[in-house]
């Protein structure tokens, strides 16, 4: 039984698990459908939206960068347009002025290949710096008119595109006293990398600029699926197009789609495999017994799978989230760094542009006075706070030194001298040497007092840079230096540009150095300009890496923790700066949310697994309980079944239509049918044909459910009903049936106990016959006794009568014949005794069994009659009869009279000669009978006679003492017993006797 | 002293006065010199035999004639007591009764009665039986010596 249960249990588990897996398959299929029609399109849309957003942002950024670029270029040209020599030139429409030519020739616009064009108000080209212009400069061009009538602040026009650079021009008006007097145009050739920063970073994007019908921009060769985002740059009248490649997006979308589908398919496949496996196992289990452990494993595989899935899902989520976070941080970093480094780059360009302007100013001027310098640079200093100082460093000989020193002192710098840092580290007047490179003009003075007059040639580092600048004829920046008056920790740089005399006769001739213009910058200020707009979570670190072996920190602290960072390299006037932007937070801090998700996921999985395990445990427990209970129940049911089956009485259960449902072994024996033959048949096959009517009536009307049914069944309900049964062989035999109704929910069944009472009936018949026989013989005896008494009385009467007659007759003869008298006495006495005996026997035998004629007997009345009779018989005053209140009884009056009379008379009769007899009668009520007491004060008796006296003919006294036949008490005993009571005596010799007897109340 | 035939002491236990009369007459008629002592019920018989309640001077009988139907203690009980008492058990007990019932006969012999005689209905026969019994038990039968210590 255990084994089968276990097997059942195991296969149940498999079935349950299989159902779960089946549901999983359904769920997964549903998910696939959902994915195909809802989730994936939704994800795609999200991707698209994100992509679109990103692209728009990129576009905006690119546009901003481009605008900045153009703006800075424009500003340089605008600054140049303010030069007095240029203003004068346009005012006078005279470009012969050498200073104008010098200025334009020396100004570098947009790289080395930039050109400048100056036009007067008539739009005649006054000066052009190259022979062949790209742009068209006739007054028929609408833009010229627009600028001249001041309807447009500037004009931007794309001109051309070469390999990796574009050519464009920016035209600004030249103003004099607020009126447009001419136009200054810069034709600028700029590298694409400088114009479109993003191009450097990604190859799958492109940017184009379109003006009128000309389109320039970066290569779109690598773009597979172009997506164009355009922005109209109003001021420039240029359409800015940002082209991105949709291919990666589509690829990404497809990969996500594939991922989802592969996960679902994998799930489906796993479920299907599990399903088949379980079906197979289930089938196996149905065939052979599986050990409990195996089923336990299969039972616990669900939490295991859930656990594994949960943990993997958590880990995957962790990876995805942390990656996403990283990607987002990195993206942000890229964006920020691009933006800010570009800003730095532009700012630096601007400063370089300023340096160029100053340089041009010196190149174009014969003589620049200190005041001219001040006026010229002031506007730059106002605009660009980051510029620490702008200097003019003339190259002088020792002869010129004194003149300059004197001149400066005359200009108000009374302490001016050419200085150097002496060996003690203090500023001191420079020792004499051939050439000096003193800082002669310096703006602003405030804060830079000590720098004025400082001989840069005295500082080897600066000298080296200056020499490099002179030799390369271009701008050169110093490495990190500490600026004058500055905190030593704060880094600064100088950018020098040599100024040569403009009187070169031959190309081969080496240019003669006039001096250097210089701009000094404080890196911190440079950074601060940028940092204003930077994400506060990011930090900036700038290093000069011109000498890779000995990098110098210019700003900030190096990245100390492992965090996201991005490097950008800026080339600044011969030096390389590495600008590192890094997130302040540790990488792990970014991963915190991902870790949180991982932990949450793991905890969640753990809880689910624990919950499942708990449920399974609980279920196992419950199942175990069920198995146990079932076993108990089965045992008890088997027990009951055994009782039913082995019962001596036949047990038959029928439904409410009379169809036999159960038929036990005893019933089989009684009716001779095997149970399988009768189960399903109607109960009437067990009844004799004559009885069918009744049961048929009942069972035929079964559908009607009328009252008759109930009445019919009531006929059989209850116990000990007699009926007739029919044996299979046709024999009809008596049965006793006890039918009880069983209500099982709404169904009603009847259970009948059947007992074959053939034997009992036969026995009863026999007994009845025997009783009849006995009654017959009793009657015969009674008749005989009656006849005897009558017939015997007759001869006795004869004997007595004639003995007396004879005695009388021979009276005289007997007068002296004592013996004869004696003989007569014997004869007569014998006859009298015989008569008494016969009377008593007649009485005794007439106390028949039948006391059916019960009547109400008033015992008290009875006693009164006896009392009267007895006292009449005895001489007065010799006896007394008393009694307590006595009850009325049901009984045979004659017999009860006999009973009381005999006992009372005995009490009087067996009396001591000298004592007055006293008989007292009392009665005591008990539960179902009365107990009577008849007490006398007579002679009493020994205990050994207590029983004997109730026997027939037993006497305790000689006839000479007390006469009697020895039948009286026997009669009493018989009467009491016939009335369902008992009689006994208590006595002591000489102390009187008490007779007790009980009589039933009813 | 010349040793003569010993005079037998006979105890008759009988409640029927008629029978006592007939027995006595039978003794008179046969001119027996034996002594006939009569007690009328069982109790009296036992008192006599155990010499108590007024029978302290009673002579131990040589033969007992015992009726079965006696008032009070009946003959069967008396027989049982006699035969159970070492001092009395040797005394021949002749059951002399009106009952012919086999039950009574068997019971009496079982109680070691020495003989059982049914009283004849006819008076002459009764007396003849009494005389025969007397002759047989006194003259023919050798009786155990009576206890001289009594």
């Amino acid at each position: 039984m255990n084994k089968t249960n276990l097997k059942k249990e195991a296969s149940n588990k498999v079935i349950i698990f299989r159902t779960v897996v089946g549901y999983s398959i359904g769920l997964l299929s549903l998910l696939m459908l959902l994915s195909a029609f809802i989730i994936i399109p939704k994800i795609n849309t999200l991707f698209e939206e994100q992509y679109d957003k990103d692209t728009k942002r990129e576009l905006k950024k690119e546009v901003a960068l481009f605008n900045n670029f153009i703006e800075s270029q424009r500003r340089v040209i605008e600054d140049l347009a303010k030069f007095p020599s240029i203003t004068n030139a346009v005012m006078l429409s005279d470009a012969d002025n050498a200073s104008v030519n010098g200025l334009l020739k020396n100004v570098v616009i947009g790289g080395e290949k930039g050109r400048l064009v100056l036009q007067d108000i008539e739009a005649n080209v006054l000066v052009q710096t190259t022979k062949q212009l790209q742009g068209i400069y006739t007054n028929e061009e609408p833009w010229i008119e627009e600028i001249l009538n001041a309807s447009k602040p500037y004009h931007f026009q794309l001109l051309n595109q070469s390999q990796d650079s574009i050519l464009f021009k920016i035209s600004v008006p030249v103003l004099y006293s607020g009126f447009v007097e001419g136009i200054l145009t810069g034709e600028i050739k700029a590298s694409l990398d400088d114009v479109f920063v993003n191009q450097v970073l990604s190859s799958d994007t492109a940017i184009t600029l379109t003006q009128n019908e000309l389109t320039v921009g970066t290569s779109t060769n690598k773009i597979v699926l172009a997506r164009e985002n355009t922005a109209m740059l109003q001021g420039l009248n240029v359409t800015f197009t940002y082209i991105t490649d949709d291919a990666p997006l589509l690829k990404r979308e497809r990969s996500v789609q594939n991922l989802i589908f592969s996960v679902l398919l994998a799930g489906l496949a796993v479920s299907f495999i599990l399903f088949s496996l379980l079906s197979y196992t289930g089938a196996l289990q149905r065939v052979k017994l599986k050990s409990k452990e195996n089923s336990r494993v299969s039972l616990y595989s669900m939490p295991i799978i859930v656990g594994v899935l949960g943990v993997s899902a958590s880990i995957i989520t962790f990876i995805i989230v942390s990656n996403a976070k990283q990607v987002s941080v990195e993206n942000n970093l890229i964006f920020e760094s691009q933006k800010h480094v570009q800003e730095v780059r532009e700012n630096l360009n601007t400063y370089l542009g300023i340096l160029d302007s100053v340089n041009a100013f010196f190149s174009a001027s014969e003589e620049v006075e200190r005041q001219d310098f001040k006026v010229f640079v002031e506007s730059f200093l106002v605009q660009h706070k980051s510029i620490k100082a702008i200097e003019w460093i003339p190259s002088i000989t020792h002869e010129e030194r004194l003149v300059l020193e004197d001149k400066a002192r005359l200009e108000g710098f009374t302490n001016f001298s050419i200085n150097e840092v002496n060996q003690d580290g203090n500023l001191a007047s420079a020792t004499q040497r051939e050439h000096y490179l003193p800082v002669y003009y310096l703006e602003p003075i405030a804060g830079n007092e000590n720098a004025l007059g400082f001989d840069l040639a005295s500082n080897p580092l600066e000298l080296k840079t200056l020499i490099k600048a002179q030799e390369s004829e271009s701008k050169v920046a110093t490495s990190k230096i500490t600026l004058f008056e500055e905190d030593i920790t704060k880094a600064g740089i100088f950018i020098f540009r040599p100024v040569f005399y403009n009187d070169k006769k031959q190309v081969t001739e080496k240019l003669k150095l006039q001096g250097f213009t210089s701009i000094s910058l404080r890196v911190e200020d440079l950074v601060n300009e940028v940092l204003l707009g930077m994400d506060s979570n990011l930090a900036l670190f700038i290093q000069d890496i011109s000498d890779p072996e000995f990098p110098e920190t210019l700003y900030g602290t190096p990245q100390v923790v492992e965090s996201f960072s991005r490097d950008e390299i800026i080339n600044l006037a011969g030096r390389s700066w590495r600008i590192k932007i890094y997130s302040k937070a540790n990488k792990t801090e970014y991963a915190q949310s991902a870790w949180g998700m991982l932990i949450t996921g793991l905890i969640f999985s753990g809880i689910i697994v624990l919950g499942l395990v708990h449920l399974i445990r609980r279920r196992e427990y419950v199942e175990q309980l069920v198995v146990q209970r079932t076993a108990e129940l089965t045992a008890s049911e088997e027990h009951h079944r055994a009782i039913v089956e082995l019962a001596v009485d036949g047990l038959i259960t029928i439904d409410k239509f009379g169809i036999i449902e159960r038929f036990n072994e005893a019933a089989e024996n009684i009716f001779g049918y095997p149970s399988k033959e009768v189960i399903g048949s109607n109960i009437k096959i067990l009844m004799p044909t004559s009885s069918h009517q009744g049961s048929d009536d009942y069972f035929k009307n079964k559908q009607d459910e009328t009252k008759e049914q109930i009445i019919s069944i009531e006929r059989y309900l209850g116990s000990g009903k007699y009926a007739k049964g029919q044996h299979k062989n046709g024999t009809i035999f008596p049965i006793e049936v006890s039918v009880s109704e069983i209500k099982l929910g709404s169904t009603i069944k009847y259970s009948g106990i059947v007992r074959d009472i053939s034997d009992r009936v036969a026995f009863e018949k026999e007994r009845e016959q025997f009783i009849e026989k006995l009654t017959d013989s009793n009657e015969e005896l009674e008749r005989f006794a009656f006849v005897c008494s009558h017939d015997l009385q007759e001869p006795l009467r004869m004997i007595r009568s004639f003995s007396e007659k004879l005695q009388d007759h021979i009276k005289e003869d007997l007068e002296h014949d004592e013996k004869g008298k004696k003989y007569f006495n014997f004869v007569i006495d014998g006859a009298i005794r015989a008569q008494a005996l016969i009377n008593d026997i007649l009485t005794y035998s007439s106390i028949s069994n039948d006391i059916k004629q019960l009547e109400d007997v008033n015992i008290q009345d009875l006693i009164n009659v006896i009392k009267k009779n007895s006292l009449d018989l005895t001489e007065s005053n010799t006896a007394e009869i008393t009694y307590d209140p006595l009850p009325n009884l049901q009984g045979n009056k004659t017999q009860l009279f006999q009973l009381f009379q005999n006992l009372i008379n005995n009490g009087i009769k067996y009396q001591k000669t000298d004592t007055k007899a006293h008989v007292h009668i009392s009665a005591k009520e008990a539960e179902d009978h009365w107990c009577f007491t008849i007490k006398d004060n007579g002679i009493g008796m020994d205990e050994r006679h207590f029983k004997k006296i109730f026997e027939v003919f037993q006497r305790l006294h000689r006839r000479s003492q007390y006469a009697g036949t020895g039948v009286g008490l026997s009669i009493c005993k018989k009467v009491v017993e016939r009335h369902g009571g008992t009689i006994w005596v208590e006595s002591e010799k000489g102390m009187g006797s008490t007779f007790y007897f009980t009589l039933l109340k009813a | 002293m010349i040793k003569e035939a010993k005079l037998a002491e006979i105890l008759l236990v009988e409640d029927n006065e008629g029978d006592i009369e007939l027995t006595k007459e039978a003794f008179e008629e046969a001119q027996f010199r034996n002594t006939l002592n009569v007690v009328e019920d069982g109790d009296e018989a036992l008192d006599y035999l155990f010499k108590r309640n007024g029978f302290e001077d009673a002579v131990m009988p040589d033969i007992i004639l015992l009726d079965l139907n006696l008032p009070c203690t009946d003959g069967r009980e008396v027989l049982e007591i006699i035969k159970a008492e070492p001092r009395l058990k040797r005394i021949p007990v002749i059951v002399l009764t009106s009952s012919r019932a086999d039950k009574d006969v068997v019971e009496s012999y079982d109680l070691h009665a020495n003989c059982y005689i049914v009283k004849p209905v006819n008076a002459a026969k009764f007396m003849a039986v009494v005389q025969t019994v007397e002759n047989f038990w006194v003259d023919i039968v050798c009786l155990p010596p009576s206890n001289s210590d009594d």
Side-chain angles (χ1 to χ4, degrees), chain A residues 272-471:
Chain A
F272 189 74
I273 290 166
L274 267 176
F275 186 76
S276 338
L277 209 68
L278 286 169
S279 303
Y280 175 68
T281 328
L284 268 187
Q285 269 171 348
R286 276 191 290 280
V287 176
K288 65 172 186 182
L289 184 73
K290 277 251 160 189
S291 74
K292 199 178 180 182
E293 282 65 35
N294 279 350
S295 68
R296 279 178 74 91
V297 167
S298 76
L299 191 66
Y300 281 102
S301 53
M302 186 152 75
I304 290 168
I305 288 169
V306 168
V308 168
L309 285 179
V311 169
S312 358
S314 304
I315 290 168
I316 289 167
T317 312
F318 168 71
I319 291 166
I320 288 171
V321 167
S322 58
N323 278 347
K325 190 79 195 174
Q326 200 167 331
V327 166
S328 110
V329 169
E330 275 173 354
N331 280 344
N332 185 42
L333 206 65
I334 290 167
F335 174 73
E336 288 283 329
S337 66
Q338 281 173 3
K339 189 173 133 193
H340 297 299
V341 171
Q342 181 61 22
E343 268 181 60
V344 170
R345 197 178 270 142
E346 277 166 17
N347 286 345
L348 287 173
N349 277 342
T350 307
Y351 304 142
L352 291 176
I354 288 167
L355 187 59
D356 287 343
S357 298
V358 175
N359 204 280
F361 183 53
F362 274 91
S363 301
S365 308
E366 284 293 323
E367 188 70 45
V368 177
E369 291 301 319
R370 190 177 291 268
Q371 193 57 34
D372 292 341
F373 177 79
K374 188 180 177 181
V375 169
F376 187 76
V377 302
E378 221 158 35
S379 66
F380 298 129
L381 291 172
V382 168
Q383 271 184 27
H384 304 287
K385 298 292 181 198
S386 302
I387 301 172
K388 173 75 176 161
I390 301 173
E391 295 116 26
W392 164 241
I393 303 150
S395 171
I396 55 169
T397 57
H398 184 63
E399 292 83 54
E400 290 165 316
R401 173 180 171 173
L402 293 170
V403 180
L404 276 174
E405 280 180 342
D406 286 343
K407 193 183 173 193
R409 284 178 193 135
L410 282 171
E411 282 168 340
F413 302 103
T414 48
N415 294 329
F416 185 85
S417 69
I418 294 174
N419 299 325
E420 64 180 8
V421 177
N422 66 11
Q423 286 168 337
D424 302 333
N426 296 323
L427 269 181
S429 186
T431 51
Q432 191 183 335
R433 72 199 91 166
E434 199 180 335
H435 289 282
Y436 299 94
L437 290 166
V439 176
Y440 193 62
Y441 292 166
L442 173 72
E443 283 300 330
I445 302 290
N448 294 318
E449 289 88 351
N450 287 341
L452 196 65
F454 183 74
D455 181 16
L456 296 176
S458 70
N459 183 319
L461 180 74
E462 284 165 356
L463 184 62
K464 197 176 141 198
T465 315
L466 288 166
I467 289 165
K468 194 177 161 193
Q470 187 189 358
E471 282 171 355

Side-chain angles (χ1 to χ4, degrees), chain A residues 475-498:
Chain A
K475 292 167 277 194
V476 175
T478 61
S479 63
K480 176 193 173 186
I481 55 165
T482 306
L483 295 173
F484 320 106
E485 309 271 313
E486 278 290 347
D487 184 342
I488 200 155
T489 59
K490 291 186 177 167
I493 54 158
F494 282 100
I495 309 164
F496 300 113
R497 181 169 177 174

Side-chain angles (χ1 to χ4, degrees), chain B residues 59-98:
Chain B
V59 182
M60 195 50 64
D62 296 306
I63 295 166
I64 300 167
L65 294 174
L66 181 66
D67 189 1
L68 282 182
N69 294 321
L70 297 169
C72 205
T73 309
D74 84 347
R76 296 166 191 82
E77 288 171 76
V78 176
L79 175 62
E80 199 177 352
I81 292 165
I82 291 168
K83 290 300 177 187
E85 172 61 42
R87 283 186 294 157
L88 305 173
K89 66 182 178 190
R90 292 190 200 127
I91 303 169
V93 177
I94 292 111
V95 174
L96 191 63
T97 178
S98 50

